[in-house]
Amino acid sequence: MLKEMKDNEFIALDFETTGLDRQNDDIIEVGLAHFRDGLLVETYSSFVYTEKEIPLNVRNITGISNDTLEHAPKIDAILHEIAEFIGNYPLVAHNASFDMAFLMKHLPGIKNSVVDTLILARILLPQEHYFSLGKLADAFGITNKRAHSALYDAIACGELFLKLLPLADDIREEEWDILLKTEDYNPCGLGVLYKMKTDGGKIPLNLSSYYISGNSSEWQGKTNLGEIFSKDGYVGKMLRSFENRNEQLRLAKDIHDAFERGEFLITEAGTGTGKTFAYLFPAIDFALKNNERVIISTQTKSLQNQLFYKDLPFVFTYFNGIPSAQILKGRGNYLCLLKWADLLDNLPILSREEVAIIQKLTIWRFRTKSGDIEELGNINLEREGYLWQKLKCDDFFCLNQNCPFYNECYFKNARRNAKSANIVIINHSLLFSDAANGNLILGEYDRLIIDEAHNIEKTATRNIGITLTQKEFDYVFNSFAQKKSIFIKGISHFLKKNEIKLISAISSDIISRMSYVMSLAKEKYEQMDVFRSVKYNLLEDLVKRMEESVEPLNTSFNRLLEHLEKIGKRLENEEENDMAATIEGKRREIEEIQFKINSLFSPYDENYCYLLETESRTKNVKFSSLPIYVGDILGEMLFNKIKTLITTSGTIAIDGDFSYFMNRTGLARFKEQSLMQLYSSPFDYNAQLKTAICEFIKDPGDPQFYNDTTPVIKAIIQAIPKKTMILTTSYTMLNTIYNNILPFSEELGIQVFAQGISGSRTKIIENFKSSHQGLLIGTDTFWEGIDLPGKFLEVLIIPKLPFPAPNDPIIESRINKIRENGNNPFDQYMVPEMILKLKQGIGRLIRTTYDNGYLFILDSRIYRRNYGKRVLDEIPGKEYRLSSYYLLSQYLREVSNE
Ligand code: SF4
């Protein structure tokens, strides 16, 4: 309870309005709640008359119609009552800037202090993901009798404030210092909060360590895989859900043998095999016995986190806590403490959004052990990623040993630990980019496990090519050209005036030449109707401008490098060795940019695809040269250096054959030392999955396709009232299906969640899971990495076979290359890619031995084209061939009775 709160009274307020625009919209309901000493003592509420037509969405949400307001007073008639009620008390509102904008339109003179519970919650609950009043009220057990009624929302907001208040007692002095400073630039009531004293509470934070220490020299034991995976063995005793699976033990033994013999084991293990434990036990056993490191790489960060925070601690108990492990992500995941300090120094010139980010990070920054942004829920990287750019570690900004925070640096510490840990958990982007950069981050290693191995080609292509972004260029050169940059501020005492002048003049010359190229690139990109990226080596005038720029750019680069070298030597002689090292670091960055410009601007290599893209938010340009075929490069820079390689996936073989995967990844070259094995899933697909294929629907290329599929989808969701997902192959298809079925679904009370329309991926999945009968429409990333067991997903609809998009420049280049080599790209690339993606998509449906599911494929080409048989062979479950709409109706009648 509030004990010695100077202002121990406040008014919580909420308005319902006709819309979000304070100039043109009207208040239609006012709710005020007066709290004293933690108790609600008085309320005020009133409907407010408006002449505006109340929009449908507002009527639906609030239940207020123009009829409701027919006899309500106008706002001017109740302003004196509102002013009297709120007096001089602090005002508390959720998303206060919205309510205050409406209030101040009518009462412009009010000077009350304002507390925003939305911003407070984001500061005090850094790991929370959802901050709507409803979600926060639920999280704190606050009952809101009528959400979206102004008075009840005001009361819930006041009660939320009372719940947040005690947490503020846990804010430490160094955190208050920053938060109170930010209050001037993004006010949210922190000053009011600072004065309030309560019984105190603890900010709920669950911050994990990024490193598990151990002492491998103490390991004396023997690892008995047969005992571990038997029915009454170690895993069975520890995990109630464990099911004894022969295939899991066989896989674990094969992995053990591959480690012992120094061989490659290429595996496809069906869903449910239990591959994670099957590789963790033998990998740890080998690492301990031989005092070696095993690197484990996953495609997704979510699997990386699951392995480190959930699976490893469990497996480590078997080894008596002796092994050590480190989770390591790319630099961009970690907070850079130097950038943080720099931002705090510059509060007056930051935007309000930047200050809001500082507020959200403050408490976490002083308590996190990892510095990994993914620990936070209150930062939405999809929306706020551009602000994170200003705070994350990055190669081009880092001062290394000259950084005052070097010893505390989250990324450097993680990297140091990774060099000695028994197990290092990384992701594929880091694996391939590090291999391309000579193992600068991971160092040398001999043993590698690649999980989710079906993503090797896709992720390697993006990470081993050369990329130059405008942002990267700006980072390096703005630090020279801007007098106030941290770099210039840091080195200015050590340089002569003419030296600073000279390097900033040469930098300005380089910047203007690059802007000349980049502005044309941007113009070209905007003129073209492109599939995310365009092959810029086909744009004649751009290529001409790039080629013309190379020589003068090289002249300026060389001059700059020469001057920096001279300055570095002079500083060394003056025994300013730290500064000399900083200058040398900058020299290397500049050399790298010069190397990239020379590689990307001319001449062009036919084995690479040259792409021009723009960043979605800033529209800054990005040039890349990506290898059309990664196999040879991977073979040389990665697999050739490895003694033991284990790859696992649920989808890399086609009809039991691994050739396609081996060829695309370059592993075919290592066939002699590789064992390829299939491990079957424990699921009984014939009993658990019913697969209906609609033969009567026209080809996806036929204009009639959507006319055929829309009634089919409607019939399915009406007949089977279970959670359903539709996996589409493009945003165009997703939007068409969404618009065609939305009104119908709403009539049936089915909530529809669509990628790109209903929020972030995480939010869509969460909302879909908690919906009664949701319908999720996804494309792209929804085809894999989603785990929706049991009732969370029972029906899957695939309207079209997922062939790669032939207008994607990299796909187009691969097709051309295969054709040039005298092969058939459709049979040898498009069909296998489609089959593997289809298998991934179908894999979303049956996740446990208790699941049952209904799969509908609406692409009739399966029965009409030559490749259909190859596809049918890969589709699990009992097949129902539906040759007419009548048969579909009959089938739906049958399954709806099950
Ligand atoms: S060492 Fe580099 S990454 Fe780490 S805090 Fe300093 S500048 Fe940032």
Side-chain angles (χ1 to χ4, degrees):
M1 296 303 300
L2 314 181
K3 267 186 194 158
E4 43 168 292
M5 179 173 147
K6 184 165 163 270
D7 306 303
N8 64 349
E9 294 183 66
F10 64 87
I11 307 293
L13 66 90
D14 187 69
F15 299 136
E16 299 304 331
T17 63
T18 52
L20 305 177
D21 180 350
R22 88 171 178 138
Q23 294 301 344
N24 299 313
D25 283 308
D26 288 346
I27 294 176
I28 52 174
E29 191 184 15
V30 177
L32 305 173
H34 187 158
F35 286 79
R36 183 186 303 133
D37 290 331
L39 295 174
L40 177 65
V41 291
E42 196 181 356
T43 60
Y44 172 91
S45 68
S46 176
F47 286 123
V48 183
Y49 180 77
T50 180
E51 286 179 353
K52 291 198 167 71
E53 172 79 22
I54 298 177
L56 179 64
N57 63 330
V58 176
R59 290 204 307 263
N60 286 343
I61 293 172
T62 62
I64 300 171
S65 66
N66 289 88
D67 288 347
T68 321
L69 305 181
E70 202 183 335
H71 303 295
K74 290 189 172 171
I75 187 75
D76 291 341
I78 57 168
L79 279 178
H80 66 286
E81 292 172 3
I82 296 173
E84 200 175 305
F85 194 94
I86 62 179
N88 292 322
Y89 297 115
L91 302 178
V92 176
H94 201 70
N95 193 12
S97 59
F98 174 81
D99 297 284
M100 290 310 294
F102 278 92
L103 185 61
M104 290 179 84
K105 181 166 102 174
H106 299 291
L107 292 174
I110 59 164
K111 296 264 183 302
N112 307 45
S113 47
V114 179
V115 178
D116 188 338
T117 46
L118 173 64
I119 303 183
L120 287 189
R122 285 190 172 136
I123 294 171
L124 293 165
L125 305 167
Q127 289 187 303
E128 194 64 46
H129 282 85
Y130 303 110
F131 293 92
S132 68
L133 182 61
K135 290 275 184 199
L136 288 167
D138 284 350
F140 281 106
I142 296 167
T143 313
N144 185 348
K145 288 186 197 149
R146 260 183 56 212
H148 302 296
S149 136
L151 178 60
Y152 288 104
D153 278 357
I155 295 172
C157 173
E159 289 180 3
L160 172 64
F161 178 58
L162 292 171
K163 297 280 185 189
L164 293 173
L165 202 48
L167 303 184
D169 279 4
D170 191 26
I171 301 180
R172 301 167 187 169
E173 274 315 308
E174 69 259 35
E175 294 162 351
W176 271 125
D177 280 351
I178 295 173
L179 290 173
L180 291 175
K181 265 191 227 159
T182 63
E183 177 72 0
D184 291 343
Y185 309 102
N186 187 30
C188 59
L190 285 159
V192 178
L193 202 67
Y194 188 63
K195 292 185 212 154
M196 297 179 175
K197 290 273 181 290
T198 72
D199 284 344
K202 203 112 189 82
I203 294 171
L205 274 175
N206 177 16
L207 301 169
S208 317
S209 180
Y210 54 92
Y211 179 61
I212 305 172
S213 63
N215 186 353
S216 52
S217 60
E218 283 181 16
W219 178 244
Q220 308 281 336
K222 265 193 160 181
T223 308
N224 183 337
L225 293 173
E227 191 278 325
I228 289 171
F229 293 109
S230 70
K231 197 164 184 299
D232 303 317
Y234 181 77
V235 184
K237 277 187 204 144
M238 300 285 284
L239 289 184
R240 226 188 291 160
S241 57
F242 177 76
E243 291 165 37
N244 176 229
R245 303 162 205 167
N246 291 338
E247 290 294 84
Q248 185 180 33
L249 176 59
R250 186 165 73 89
L251 174 59
K253 284 183 170 168
D254 288 346
I255 291 173
H256 169 270
D257 292 348
F259 270 108
E260 291 298 328
R261 294 183 196 137
E263 288 174 349
F264 288 10
L265 176 67
I266 314 302
T267 72
E268 179 179 282
T271 317
T273 314
K275 62 184 165 50
T276 309
F277 285 166
Y279 64 66
L280 282 180
F281 279 98
I284 296 166
D285 174 59
F286 182 85
L288 288 178
K289 277 199 301 213
N290 298 284
N291 201 17
E292 276 202 45
R293 287 196 300 163
V294 176
I295 310 286
I296 301 176
S297 182
T298 68
Q299 169 69 14
T300 54
K301 288 181 186 161
S302 59
L303 181 56
Q304 203 185 349
N305 286 336
Q306 186 197 308
L307 274 176
F308 188 79
Y309 294 112
K310 197 163 154 243
D311 300 331
L312 266 189
F314 172 79
V315 178
F316 273 18
T317 54
Y318 177 83
F319 295 93
N320 298 324
I322 286 172
S324 55
Q326 170 72 43
I327 183 166
L328 188 63
K329 299 181 183 171
R331 282 172 209 275
N333 264 70
Y334 297 90
L335 176 72
C336 168
L337 291 169
L338 185 62
K339 285 187 181 178
W340 170 261
D342 186 50
L343 229 54
L344 290 182
D345 278 350
N346 288 302
L347 278 181
I349 56 164
L350 299 187
S351 67
R352 206 163 163 165
E353 284 94 345
E354 287 167 330
V355 176
I357 286 272
I358 290 179
Q359 290 175 331
K360 289 190 216 174
L361 290 178
T362 298
I363 287 174
W364 169 78
R365 177 266 172 268
F366 286 99
R367 305 175 194 221
T368 177
K369 297 176 195 133
S370 70
D372 178 356
I373 185 70
E374 284 186 23
E375 281 185 335
L376 292 175
N378 64 353
I379 303 275
N380 181 338
L381 283 180
E382 279 176 39
R383 209 176 48 227
E384 300 166 316
Y386 68 102
L387 292 171
W388 176 241
Q389 307 277 1
K390 302 193 174 190
L391 283 166
K392 67 182 188 180
C393 288
D394 84 61
D395 212 7
F396 291 95
F397 180 89
C398 184
L399 298 184
N400 292 308
Q401 279 92 339
N402 294 314
C403 170
F405 302 99
Y406 187 70
N407 290 332
E408 285 174 67
C409 177
Y410 299 115
F411 175 66
K412 305 283 178 198
N413 284 335
R415 195 176 66 172
R416 265 192 290 274
N417 292 333
K419 294 224 164 126
S420 59
N422 298 121
I423 301 290
V424 183
I425 311 278
I426 61 166
N427 54 53
H428 293 356
S429 300
L430 178 58
L431 173 73
F432 299 123
S433 57
D434 192 51
N437 287 314
N439 301 102
L440 280 178
I441 294 178
L442 290 170
E444 298 298 322
Y445 53 91
D446 292 332
R447 319 285 165 182
L448 173 65
I449 297 176
I450 304 183
D451 200 342
E452 299 177 315
H454 54 278
N455 285 302
I456 289 179
E457 185 180 25
K458 184 176 78 182
T459 316
T461 303
R462 277 280 163 192
N463 286 281
I464 60 182
I466 294 174
T467 296
L468 177 66
T469 63
Q470 194 167 337
K471 186 187 85 182
E472 178 183 339
F473 174 82
D474 289 347
Y475 258 143
V476 173
F477 281 92
N478 287 347
S479 66
F480 282 119
Q482 289 174 2
K483 285 195 184 120
K484 284 192 176 160
S485 75
I486 299 184
F487 181 71
I488 290 290
K489 274 195 278 177
I491 63 167
S492 55
H493 303 304
F494 302 90
L495 298 196
K496 296 173 187 159
K497 258 198 181 145
N498 66 330
E499 287 175 333
I500 297 186
K501 244 184 172 173
L502 194 65
I503 55 175
S504 80
I506 306 173
S507 302
S508 300
D509 175 67
I510 294 173
I511 290 173
S512 80
R513 287 182 192 283
M514 280 298 283
S515 309
Y516 184 60
V517 172
M518 285 175 179
S519 58
L520 181 63
K522 195 168 178 175
E523 198 185 307
K524 287 275 153 200
Y525 184 89
E526 281 165 1
Q527 280 167 5
M528 299 182 77
D529 180 20
V530 291
F531 181 87
R532 286 189 221 135
S533 52
V534 57
K535 288 184 183 176
Y536 68 80
N537 55 326
L538 304 181
L539 306 174
E540 275 178 30
D541 38 355
L542 178 60
V543 167
K544 191 164 171 270
R545 190 175 284 189
M546 289 168 116
E547 285 176 350
E548 282 168 2
S549 307
V550 173
E551 205 184 309
L553 275 170
N554 272 331
T555 309
S556 295
F557 269 104
N558 293 339
R559 277 183 69 208
L560 184 59
L561 289 166
E562 243 171 64
H563 282 295
L564 288 175
E565 195 178 355
K566 267 192 215 153
I567 294 169
K569 283 203 173 124
R570 179 172 63 70
L571 291 173
E572 253 174 34
N573 292 338
E574 290 167 12
E575 299 198 353
E576 296 290 354
N577 291 330
D578 279 0
M579 219 14 83
T582 303
I583 299 280
E584 183 50 29
K586 277 289 155 196
R587 255 181 56 80
R588 280 203 301 272
E589 286 173 7
I590 293 165
E591 272 175 346
E592 190 169 339
I593 298 273
Q594 186 184 15
F595 165 77
K596 287 185 175 184
I597 288 172
N598 280 295
S599 311
L600 292 164
F601 284 23
S602 71
Y604 300 106
D605 181 335
E606 57 173 20
N607 293 315
Y608 282 75
C609 182
Y610 293 88
L611 296 184
L612 168 65
E613 291 158 288
T614 65
E615 288 172 357
S616 55
R617 195 184 159 275
T618 60
K619 303 290 170 217
N620 282 341
V621 297
K622 175 170 146 188
F623 297 101
S624 316
S625 71
L626 305 183
I628 295 169
Y629 172 64
V630 290
D632 293 338
I633 306 170
L634 283 181
E636 209 45 55
M637 72 179 197
L638 182 63
F639 302 136
N640 209 14
K641 299 179 183 168
I642 301 291
K643 289 184 182 146
T644 300
L645 172 72
I646 313 291
T647 70
T648 74
S649 167
T651 52
I652 53 174
I654 295 174
D655 201 16
D657 182 46
F658 289 83
S659 308
Y660 179 73
F661 172 76
M662 299 291 278
N663 288 332
R664 296 301 315 170
T665 55
L667 281 166
R669 191 177 133 192
F670 303 89
K671 222 170 169 180
E672 304 269 284
Q673 68 204 66
S674 304
L675 181 68
M676 284 148 277
Q677 288 287 358
L678 289 168
Y679 303 86
S680 54
S681 163
F683 304 155
D684 181 355
Y685 281 110
N686 278 339
Q688 292 180 257
L689 177 66
K690 284 194 164 85
T691 298
I693 303 173
C694 298
E695 193 182 7
F696 59 92
I697 292 176
K698 288 267 187 305
D699 270 18
D702 192 297
Q704 182 65 22
F705 177 69
Y706 286 111
N707 293 342
D708 284 0
T709 49
T710 305
V712 169
I713 294 172
K714 287 180 180 173
I716 296 168
I717 59 176
Q718 186 167 28
I720 314 177
K722 296 173 189 291
K723 289 203 175 103
T724 301
M725 177 157 75
I726 303 177
L727 286 176
T728 64
T729 50
S730 67
Y731 276 100
T732 311
M733 178 182 278
L734 182 148
N735 288 325
T736 310
I737 292 177
Y738 177 79
N739 291 325
N740 286 351
I741 62 166
L742 185 66
F744 179 78
S745 308
E746 283 182 342
E747 263 174 41
L748 292 177
I750 297 171
Q751 272 182 282
V752 183
F753 308 95
Q755 190 177 355
I757 297 172
S758 318
S760 68
R761 185 177 188 266
T762 321
K763 205 166 187 173
I764 287 176
I765 295 169
E766 281 304 315
N767 289 340
F768 175 66
K769 279 167 95 172
S770 58
S771 67
H772 174 62
Q773 186 200 337
L775 173 65
L776 195 165
I777 313 176
T779 185
D780 201 19
T781 54
F782 280 78
W783 282 81
E784 65 173 289
I786 295 179
D787 190 22
L788 295 167
K791 303 271 175 223
F792 289 132
L793 181 67
E794 293 180 86
V795 184
L796 177 65
I797 304 173
I798 296 180
K800 184 183 169 200
L801 295 174
F803 283 101
N807 54 343
D808 178 335
I810 191 80
I811 304 292
E812 189 191 27
S813 302
R814 284 188 187 137
I815 291 172
N816 292 339
K817 209 28 109 206
I818 295 168
R819 194 176 288 126
E820 277 167 26
N821 292 337
N823 296 313
N824 179 337
F826 187 73
D827 281 351
Q828 295 186 4
Y829 180 71
M830 300 294 272
V831 173
E833 282 294 306
M834 176 271 289
I835 289 175
L836 293 176
K837 185 154 184 175
L838 182 67
K839 282 171 74 176
Q840 270 295 332
I842 295 172
R844 302 309 98 215
L845 196 49
I846 305 295
R847 308 297 298 168
T848 75
T849 41
Y850 306 106
D851 285 6
N852 287 301
Y854 301 96
L855 169 66
F856 292 87
I857 299 181
L858 314 188
D859 193 329
S860 57
R861 289 177 297 180
I862 288 183
Y863 295 122
R864 296 194 194 141
R865 301 290 164 91
N866 292 341
Y867 56 80
K869 166 95 180 45
R870 288 170 75 186
V871 181
L872 277 174
D873 286 348
E874 298 292 336
I875 299 176
K878 191 161 178 217
E879 180 192 338
Y880 294 81
R881 182 172 179 163
L882 306 174
S883 56
S884 66
Y885 191 85
Y886 171 75
L887 285 176
L888 169 75
S889 308
Q890 206 175 31
Y891 173 77
L892 288 175
R893 258 198 307 279
E894 278 166 28
V895 298
S896 64
N897 291 327
E898 285 177 356

